[in-house]
Amino acid sequence: MAKINPIQLQKHLKGIDYPASKEELIQHARQNGADENAISVLQQLPEQEYQTPTDVSEAVGAIE
């Protein structure tokens, strides 16, 4: 799997209301034009509520 730039990922998640579920993150990223690599990374996140963008970045960092 290709790594994703955390800044690019946060651009895809811009405007999402936190806390957000994994499914909400994926849906929001798709609506913001995220590519399949970004969606693939989000799909690997644990099923949980993410409280902040930092939570998402930390979770993404843990799977790469």
Side-chain angles (χ1 to χ4, degrees), residues 21-59:
S21 69
K22 172 182 163 177
E23 197 53 48
E24 289 169 326
L25 295 173
I26 293 168
Q27 187 175 28
H28 193 84
R30 278 201 171 110
Q31 291 170 345
N32 282 346
D35 62 15
E36 283 308 307
N37 181 50
I39 298 302
S40 171
V41 169
L42 290 172
Q43 287 172 334
Q44 294 178 60
L45 293 176
E47 289 286 347
Q48 68 181 52
E49 288 281 310
Y50 294 89
Q51 303 299 318
T52 66
T54 303
D55 289 349
V56 176
S57 293
E58 288 174 356

